[in-house]
Amino acid sequence: AFQEMLFEDSDQSISTSVDSPKDSLGARSVHFALLAMAVGIEQQLPEDDIILLGKAGLLHDLGLYRLPAHFRDPSRTLNYEEAAQFRKHPEISAELLGDFPFISDELRVLIQQVHELPDGGGYPRGLKAHRFHRLTCILSLAELYVALTHRGSGRPPLAPYDVIRYLLFRCRDGQVDSAALRALINQFTLYGIGSPVHISDGAQALVLRRDANHFDLPVVEIDRDGEPEMVRLSQTKLTISGPHRSSQQMHLDRSLAENVSLGDLLFL
């Protein structure tokens, strides 16, 4: 059903998941699944792979329900022992799913690898990219995007634009797969579907859809004196001058985006 929805209208599907309750683990899993599938579709992967991405996205955090409830609160700061326990949850998820005969071994491998990073800095096993399942890089990237655009340990969520810019620097450092990131930007735009932005003429707008040929010039809804107008920016002289960040969002300037580590923004 997710796949049919994405093929029919990927922009609307992603926008709907973005608007889901932010602090629900289930809502995050749905958002993650849709985003991973959208990246797979952008890369023109076969149908079976798209479905695998969706299943892994939905089920990857199942193991957290075998741990104390506070482990399911991403804003909570964990001590050293709790952090070590948390890092085991992908393996717990895979073990739990081993009791279901309709869950393939391939899916269980993917669920174990969702939190791995191409440079070996992820968990639970610290695998490097050459040991990844062929779909792991997509899942790893999508999970990072969802985690950073939601509340984390001791920090508010980041604006989608700041997350994309940050991931571009992490791609340079080998922590993010370049092909997956390119597909994410093409599918989601540089500013993020559903994100408020500033237009070059001073107006505010909301990103509605991507423009397949212009990742930085999406289709937006411009609010002019209470009269919304849908505009394809690539057909005008208007550009986006920058994202509109809410007071509840963390801002990363270029210097921070280039230098702050994943470990400082995200529990690893």
Side-chain angles (χ1 to χ4, degrees):
F2 277 168
Q3 181 175 247
E4 291 176 3
M5 189 167 63
L6 284 164
F7 275 125
E8 182 177 344
D9 192 337
S10 63
D11 296 334
Q12 180 62 34
S13 302
I14 294 171
S15 179
T16 299
S17 73
V18 169
D19 292 334
S20 299
K22 296 294 184 183
D23 296 323
S24 162
L25 187 62
R28 287 194 186 203
S29 294
V30 170
H31 185 191
F32 174 30
L34 285 168
L35 193 60
M37 292 174 75
V39 172
I41 290 171
E42 181 68 25
Q43 291 189 325
Q44 300 182 337
L45 298 181
E47 180 176 339
D48 288 348
D49 284 353
I50 303 300
I51 292 173
L52 266 178
L53 288 168
K55 288 180 178 179
L58 287 176
L59 298 172
H60 75 290
D61 274 340
L62 185 65
L64 289 176
Y65 289 93
R66 292 292 297 271
L67 299 176
H70 69 266
F71 284 95
R72 299 192 290 277
D73 179 1
S75 66
R76 182 184 174 100
T77 300
L78 303 178
N79 61 37
Y80 181 82
E81 291 181 356
E82 289 174 325
Q85 190 175 5
F86 181 90
R87 289 189 181 98
K88 297 176 181 178
H89 83 264
E91 294 180 318
I92 298 173
S93 298
E95 181 181 350
L96 286 171
L97 291 168
D99 295 333
F100 297 90
F102 53 86
I103 299 295
S104 68
D105 289 340
E106 186 176 23
L107 178 56
R108 293 174 63 220
V109 167
L110 276 174
I111 287 169
Q112 285 181 298
Q113 294 184 3
V114 163
H115 296 284
E116 301 286 1
L117 295 172
D119 69 342
Y123 63 87
R125 299 183 179 180
L127 301 179
K128 292 190 175 182
H130 70 277
R131 298 182 61 190
F132 281 3
H133 184 281
R134 67 183 182 283
L135 301 178
T136 297
C137 282
I138 293 175
L139 291 167
S140 173
L141 172 67
E143 198 280 330
L144 287 176
Y145 183 89
V146 172
L148 291 171
T149 52
H150 289 73
R151 290 187 306 142
S153 178
R155 64 158 177 82
L158 278 70
Y161 174 81
D162 290 333
V163 173
I164 291 293
R165 181 167 61 173
Y166 181 72
L167 291 175
L168 285 167
F169 284 116
R170 302 293 73 76
C171 182
R172 178 199 64 183
D173 297 339
Q175 294 179 304
V176 169
D177 179 75
S178 59
L181 182 56
R182 186 181 305 113
L184 172 67
I185 295 173
N186 287 341
Q187 182 69 239
F188 207 52
T189 86
L190 187 61
Y191 296 91
I193 293 172
S195 299
V197 293
H198 296 287
I199 304 300
S200 54
D201 66 354
Q204 287 195 14
L206 188 70
V207 177
L208 294 181
R209 296 182 175 277
R210 63 174 176 156
D211 185 321
N213 298 314
H214 303 275
F215 68 89
D216 58 341
L217 295 172
V219 178
V220 300
E221 182 181 79
I222 301 178
D223 186 6
R224 300 187 189 280
D225 300 322
E227 294 292 331
E229 175 189 3
M230 190 166 71
V231 177
R232 185 177 293 273
L233 291 177
S234 63
Q235 296 178 356
T236 73
K237 293 183 179 180
L238 297 173
T239 60
I240 294 178
S241 57
H244 175 77
R245 302 177 183 89
S246 75
S247 58
Q248 286 76 43
Q249 289 177 320
M250 179 179 176
H251 170 50
L252 285 183
D253 61 25
R254 180 184 173 88
S255 176
L256 281 174
E258 186 170 6
N259 296 303
V260 69
S261 71
L262 265 173
D264 289 333
L265 289 181
L266 186 73
F267 175 76
L268 290 175

